[in-house]
Amino acid sequence: NAGVTQTPKFRILKIGQSMTLQCAQDMNHNYMYWYRQDPGMGLKLIYYSVGAGITDKGEVPNGYNVSRSTTEDFPLRLELAAPSQTSVYFCASYSGDTYNEQFFGPGTRLTVL
Amino acid sequence: AQKVTQAQTEISVVEKEDVTLDCVYETRDTTYYLFWYKQPPSGELVFLIRRNSFDEQNEISGRYSWNFQKSTSSFNFTITASQVVDSAVYFCALSGGMDSSYKLIFGSGTRLLVRP
């Protein structure tokens, strides 16, 4: 199993550009999450999904969109990049079994200039 | 509302010292889960432990131990005989049992520097 994979690892965007951060998991997990980690801070939830076709906002959803057309993939879309979106983005997945942990991807470091 | 507080922003110790990282949480749920994650300089998140609210037994895993006290809403993490490789940011996190999304609420992290 590859676990949770994220692409790209690094990206620099200009203000106003758009991009999609890719996230995929091969563990057949129903639950998937996008978190962002600002410098020196903890992770904050952007969006989450409890299954294919179901998404919901987290704590900091403004400026982002998500979709979940398959169990495996959970892309995060930035439509109009702003400097405030400079952050490290982590995708995570979870089986729903309360005896397990959330599995995190390696992260995408995004800089908006 | 749920909240996790890690009041220690940064801790610096000399190798072989013991160090305790504090975590205080707030939740109204009677069932909840607490976690510790390690984030080494390479940036990935490494799962260390998960504890549910019904299990107040302390846990030891090698040089790591965890002290869960519901009476003080704390879930502290102790590293015994610290090593340079323990240098990392450590996050405490909470997941509410009544929240069917199982999302994690993270503290702001404690940066641990272990000096040789």
Side-chain angles (χ1 to χ4, degrees), chain B residues 50-59 68 70 75:
Chain B
R50 170 199 163 279
R51 176 53 52 92
N52 73 53
S53 54
F54 295 116
D55 184 0
E56 287 196 70
Q57 282 189 343
N58 291 334
E59 178 149 346
F68 175 34
K70 286 178 75 170
F75 186 43

Side-chain angles (χ1 to χ4, degrees), chain A residues 8-109:
Chain A
K9 284 188 170 51
F10 305 93
R11 184 73 184 267
I12 298 175
L13 283 183
K14 294 183 179 178
I15 295 172
Q17 286 185 321
S18 61
M19 77 164 292
T20 299
L21 282 67
Q22 300 292 345
C23 174
Q25 52 92 9
D26 61 358
M27 297 173 281
N28 202 34
H29 287 173
N30 284 325
Y31 298 83
M32 294 189 75
Y33 312 84
W34 274 106
Y35 296 88
R36 59 176 286 174
Q37 182 183 18
D38 296 333
M41 303 294 289
L43 281 70
K44 293 187 177 179
L45 183 66
I46 306 171
Y47 270 96
Y48 66 95
S49 169
V50 300
I54 306 170
T55 62
D56 206 347
K57 296 177 181 179
E59 185 183 354
V60 289
N62 291 344
Y64 306 94
N65 278 301
V66 293
S67 60
R68 183 97 182 270
S69 56
T70 66
T71 299
E72 293 78 21
D73 300 299
F74 191 39
L76 178 72
R77 178 87 177 157
L78 283 72
E79 291 294 348
L80 291 171
S84 61
Q85 293 177 306
T86 294
S87 191
V88 179
Y89 292 83
F90 288 97
C91 178
S93 74
Y94 179 55
S95 64
D97 179 344
T98 55
Y99 291 95
N100 289 338
E101 85 258 22
Q102 286 192 13
F103 291 83
F104 282 83
T108 294
R109 184 176 296 275

